[in-house]
Amino acid sequence: MQKSDNCLMHLINALTQRLLLPKPAAIFAATCAVFAAVAQSNAPLPVVEIRADKVAARMPPTFYGLMTEEINYAFEGGLYGELIRNRAFKADAIQKIIKPEDYDPAKYYPAKFTNGAAPKFWSAVGNAVVSLDSNNPLNAALNVSLKLDVASASPNSPAGIANGGFWGIPIRPRAGYQVSFFARSAAGFAGPLVVSLESADGKTVFARAEIFGLTGDWQKYETTLTVKKVKPSRENVFKLTTSVPGTFWVQQVSLFPQTYQNRPNGNRADISQLLAAAQPKFLRFPGGNYVEGDYFSERFNWKETIGPVELRPGHRSCWNYWSTDGFGLPEFLGWCQDLNMEPVLAVFAGYTLKHDYIAAGPELEAYVQEALAEIEYVTGDAATTDWGAQRVKDGYPNPFPLRYVEIGNEDNFDKSGSYDGRFAQFYDAIKAKYPELQIIATAPVTNRVPDVIDEHFYRSEEDMEAQAFLYDSRDRAAKTKIFVGEWATRVGSPTPNMAGALGDAAWMCCLERNADIVLMHCYAPLFVNVSAINTPKKPTDSMQWSSDLIGYDALTSYGSPSYYAQKIFSLHQGDEVLATSAKDLPTYPWQPPAPKGSQPGQPRPPVRQVKSLFYSATRDTQRGKIIVKIVNRADAPQPVKIEITGAHMVASKGTATVLKAKNRDETNSLGQPEHIVPETGKVRGLGASFTRTFPPCSITILELDAK
Ligand code: AHR
């Protein structure tokens, strides 16, 4: 075909394809854009060929999922409904670093506290003198409490404590809040105590309730605070005060709004709704680095994260803040239940982030048994297994459908060479007891064949696009399948911008095309609390890792462009991957950065040509649709010829779902949560062979009726 024919065809195509806005102005704009694009380039027209008669893979039912860990205030200060920060007063814990050889995993090592110190994230109200007190604690797990000495107080001048939550306490109109706490008092003081929700400036009291009958023994007190029809706000505090002088102690001071699906100890509704809308099929938990911890005593010790929340000691996490473990193993499972996701369980495998490890052998066995018990907790029957019975006690009567267990996390960082042996010991024990389970390795091993290997990729946009054909040439004969358990195009902070979404979509096309060997994948990190982000970073920041899928503060949340890219891929996955090939894909030049550690003046790697157009095709057999995904990362419109062979009929009408931005720097934020969102509309001009022009910086999903 001559270039002029091409040109004419693009014009006709642009006039007929009419996405969403079939207005003359839109057609005129599209026509100009096509002329500009074609005039600019002598490049041949890219062609994407789709074989409707050749199924390259069945789409795995759990292809799109979530990866999660406590990072960026993901749970406490994020998804977990709890609104009080440092509710158990243990954020000041002094924990000894214990080397693995001195550490007994079955033993509980209580943290120590400086008696008399003021607790983090609480402030005194009025004349109260507040101090941490390790004497006479609530229990061994919460082995400290907050002592309040009130020498003078009155109704006009109450005394007590205030908590500002995780960068605010959200007040929503007509909302109800469950308050609970444990308290005891010195002789002569019975209260009453007043719990209230107030604006931080003290001008507005949204709700208050009185609590009577404190005694010398620890008792639990509960009440509900209900707010009137007020404007939503987050610059608020929770207060616990008295107007009567005296001394009392409190512990586990908790404030919960209504949770998603009203689950007790459950999750924040708005964030859950964002997740639910993307229909994730599995949840990889509890990490990530969080499963490993910096030291053995700081690993995710699942046995200390179950049972009543006031019996969970909590721990310091590797992301440098305290976790009460109110969001523990049962809550991960509850989250799976809320969103109908399958758990993908990562177990601690005897290696920590500070490179402490226990080599394979008898010393490692306790951790292997710990993992077996954890699997029993998730899957065990209440009648015949102890840990299954414990799960039922914790509120989950039915065993969870578990298929995948991951041994550790990123054990490629273990330079001791111990992973091969550690993996084999876990693998053998798990396979012996649970032969049906698929075992995931986190680094290559030689003495066992893992069912699955977890590969992680954090990349710039260019780098992600440069590797967007990585798996097309992977060995199909290998027995080990691939789980891309962490990946992200890290452009944009705190959440990725459109450039990030483009890199992500290019990568997801690669994952889809290769779904015969890629079983599942998940973006990471999932969450970020955007309330306190400083340059340079501060230890008190709410973000430890930038480019996170979903951002929020105490009151509202939003999905990044990357979230919407995930969502539209997940909602349009189909059940069969069709064989595809492409010709004449356009490229752009990219100068890769100098490798880490290279000296100034050292030559940089050569400039590479990176593809700027990406594709994948699947079929929804039930609905009779062929789904074509095209990513145009270029700043100009890109005409593409799409040829579908092997189908009896492909209709000329269909739908297009498009996520695009004016430029790659555009993004979403708390202030503009829906600046970039997908739009779906009817389109024409499709068929077995058609040319369509894809907008600059765009991700397009075409659904075509086909037989
Ligand atoms: O996702 C952030 C961190 O990146 C994870 O905790 C770790 O597995 C990876 O290095």
Side-chain angles (χ1 to χ4, degrees):
M1 194 190 288
Q2 298 300 307
K3 195 176 157 207
S4 54
D5 295 346
N6 250 343
C7 221
L8 186 63
M9 216 181 57
H10 302 321
L11 175 59
I12 294 165
N13 176 251
L15 287 165
T16 52
Q17 68 187 19
R18 297 201 219 160
L19 168 65
L20 300 172
L21 295 168
K23 293 181 188 154
I27 295 174
F28 179 70
T31 310
C32 294
V34 169
F35 271 128
V38 174
Q40 245 178 33
S41 144
N42 290 321
L45 182 66
V47 182
V48 173
E49 296 147 335
I50 299 166
R51 292 274 311 270
D53 54 352
K54 193 167 173 205
V55 174
R58 304 259 153 223
M59 185 60 96
T62 48
F63 197 60
Y64 289 90
L66 305 178
M67 185 273 164
T68 194
E69 66 177 315
E70 183 57 278
I71 181 174
N72 301 327
Y73 293 84
F75 309 139
E76 300 190 24
L79 182 69
Y80 184 40
E82 178 62 77
L83 298 177
I84 300 293
R85 190 165 184 192
N86 193 18
R87 71 180 179 195
F89 310 110
K90 292 187 79 175
D92 302 88
I94 306 162
Q95 272 189 314
K96 239 180 46 192
I97 293 171
I98 313 174
K99 299 306 273 181
E101 48 281 15
D102 303 322
Y103 181 71
D104 175 356
K107 202 172 143 188
Y108 165 54
Y109 294 88
K112 293 206 163 53
F113 297 87
T114 309
N115 271 338
K120 276 186 188 156
F121 313 122
W122 290 91
S123 54
V125 175
N127 283 334
V129 175
V130 298
S131 57
L132 293 176
D133 186 357
S134 321
N135 301 310
N136 209 350
L138 177 65
N139 56 42
L142 303 188
N143 59 337
V144 70
S145 61
L146 191 68
K147 183 179 181 193
L148 288 95
D149 283 309
V150 177
S152 63
S154 66
N156 286 336
S157 182
I161 43 171
N163 189 285
F166 294 88
W167 299 278
I169 300 260
I171 296 291
R172 294 192 170 85
R174 298 202 172 96
Y177 297 79
Q178 294 306 316
V179 179
S180 66
F181 60 92
F182 290 83
R184 70 180 178 90
S185 59
F189 184 82
L193 298 181
V194 175
V195 288
S196 59
L197 289 169
E198 301 183 14
S199 59
D201 61 11
K203 289 187 181 155
T204 314
V205 176
F206 297 105
R208 74 192 291 281
E210 292 191 345
I211 305 280
F212 297 89
L214 265 69
T215 69
D217 296 322
W218 283 111
Q219 282 185 75
K220 189 171 183 180
Y221 299 89
E222 289 176 275
T223 188
T224 303
L225 295 175
T226 306
V227 164
K228 294 210 172 66
K229 193 179 166 202
V230 292
K231 271 203 339 218
S233 62
R234 69 180 170 88
E235 291 83 17
N236 308 305
V237 294
F238 167 83
K239 281 187 184 169
L240 187 151
T241 55
T242 181
S243 35
V244 185
T247 297
F248 60 100
W249 292 259
V250 290
Q251 178 48 283
Q252 191 75 353
V253 183
S254 172
L255 177 73
F256 260 83
Q258 188 175 11
T259 59
Y260 187 63
Q261 296 182 356
N262 290 324
R263 182 181 291 287
N265 201 41
N267 293 342
R268 192 170 139 173
D270 58 333
I271 300 178
S272 299
Q273 276 148 10
L274 274 174
L275 295 174
Q279 296 180 9
K281 298 295 185 300
F282 69 87
L283 179 70
R284 172 180 177 237
F285 67 86
N289 290 355
Y290 189 63
V291 72
E292 305 171 80
D294 278 342
Y295 303 101
F296 270 62
S297 49
E298 294 183 359
R299 73 188 187 288
F300 182 79
N301 188 353
W302 71 268
K303 287 184 188 168
E304 293 187 354
T305 74
I306 62 173
V309 286
E310 66 273 16
L311 295 180
R312 303 181 191 179
H315 73 291
R316 178 199 163 269
S317 91
C318 57
W319 296 106
N320 278 319
Y321 55 94
W322 185 263
S323 178
T324 67
D325 288 331
F327 200 97
L329 181 56
E331 287 69 30
F332 283 109
L333 296 174
W335 184 7
C336 287
Q337 209 170 63
D338 276 355
L339 300 192
N340 207 10
M341 300 181 290
E342 183 175 313
V344 173
L345 178 68
V347 298
F348 176 72
Y351 171 78
T352 71
L353 294 163
K354 300 286 185 199
H355 311 296
D356 285 345
Y357 70 96
I358 294 185
E363 301 291 312
L364 189 65
E365 198 47 34
Y367 298 95
V368 173
Q369 293 306 318
E370 203 176 80
L372 290 175
E374 189 172 6
I375 295 168
E376 187 177 291
Y377 183 93
V378 176
T379 62
D381 171 56
T384 57
T385 68
D386 291 346
W387 288 112
Q390 176 64 47
R391 186 201 61 244
V392 177
K393 257 190 171 170
D394 292 346
Y396 297 91
N398 298 321
F400 285 80
L402 184 71
R403 286 191 296 156
Y404 298 101
V405 173
E406 179 154 9
I407 312 302
N409 176 60
E410 293 192 340
D411 287 81
N412 47 311
F413 286 107
D414 173 11
K415 301 301 177 209
S416 72
S418 73
Y419 188 58
D420 231 306
R422 289 189 287 111
F423 178 80
Q425 197 168 333
F426 278 85
Y427 179 97
D428 292 350
I430 295 172
K431 285 281 183 186
K433 193 161 178 202
Y434 300 100
E436 70 287 0
L437 286 182
Q438 301 278 292
I439 311 296
I440 305 172
T442 73
V445 288
T446 55
N447 58 15
R448 294 292 179 279
V449 180
D451 299 303
V452 184
I453 184 146
D454 181 357
E455 301 186 350
H456 293 178
F457 302 93
Y458 292 105
R459 298 284 187 269
S460 66
E461 185 198 351
E462 295 81 359
D463 216 349
M464 201 57 123
E465 289 160 358
Q467 66 161 36
F469 292 85
L470 179 77
Y471 288 135
D472 298 66
S473 53
R474 192 76 162 241
D475 175 14
R476 267 36 210 179
K479 284 205 177 120
T480 302
K481 301 284 186 201
I482 300 160
F483 169 32
V484 189
E486 288 181 34
W487 66 265
T489 309
R490 295 191 67 192
V491 198
S493 178
T495 47
N497 56 19
M498 190 63 199
L502 291 166
D504 292 348
W507 178 237
M508 285 189 286
C509 284
C510 173
L511 300 177
E512 278 197 0
R513 278 197 313 276
N514 292 283
D516 57 327
I517 55 170
V518 178
L519 281 183
M520 47 192 185
H521 70 88
C522 40
Y523 186 102
L526 181 58
F527 293 139
V528 60
N529 187 317
V530 301
S531 302
I533 299 175
N534 292 289
T535 314
K537 282 185 189 169
K538 287 189 183 161
T540 49
D541 278 0
S542 58
M543 178 177 82
Q544 288 76 48
W545 182 287
S546 60
S547 296
D548 308 292
L549 207 61
I550 290 173
Y552 44 81
D553 65 4
L555 193 64
T556 57
S557 52
Y558 69 96
S560 63
S562 290
Y563 160 82
Y564 287 106
Q566 287 275 318
K567 180 177 168 182
I568 58 175
F569 268 65
S570 169
L571 299 188
H572 295 91
Q573 56 185 288
D575 53 328
E576 290 179 347
V577 179
L578 301 179
T580 45
S581 56
K583 283 193 293 222
D584 300 324
L585 292 181
T587 61
Y588 68 97
W590 173 50
Q591 166 69 72
K596 263 190 192 153
S598 55
Q599 302 303 315
Q602 220 171 299
R604 298 181 72 181
V607 170
R608 295 175 60 178
Q609 284 299 319
V610 177
K611 298 203 167 54
S612 61
L613 189 89
F614 309 90
Y615 60 88
S616 140
T618 59
R619 176 162 42 216
D620 185 328
T621 45
Q622 282 212 330
R623 293 169 57 234
K625 306 270 184 199
I626 289 181
I627 303 164
V628 183
K629 301 187 174 88
I630 299 285
V631 181
N632 175 25
R633 68 86 71 191
D635 293 322
Q638 177 64 59
V640 180
K641 182 166 192 193
I642 296 181
E643 290 190 330
I644 304 174
T645 56
H648 298 300
M649 182 286 293
V650 184
S652 63
K653 291 181 190 167
T655 61
T657 299
V658 182
L659 184 70
K660 63 179 177 163
K662 287 199 197 82
N663 66 62
R664 57 199 342 94
D665 298 329
E666 284 195 310
T667 198
N668 294 339
S669 60
L670 280 181
Q672 284 192 297
E674 297 194 338
H675 181 60
I676 298 172
V677 289
E679 290 185 41
T680 299
K682 293 201 168 109
V683 288
R684 295 182 195 165
L686 311 176
S689 175
F690 62 98
T691 298
R692 186 174 177 82
T693 298
F694 294 89
C697 295
S698 69
I699 303 164
T700 301
I701 302 184
L702 298 172
E703 274 201 332
L704 301 90
D705 287 313
K707 282 188 193 137

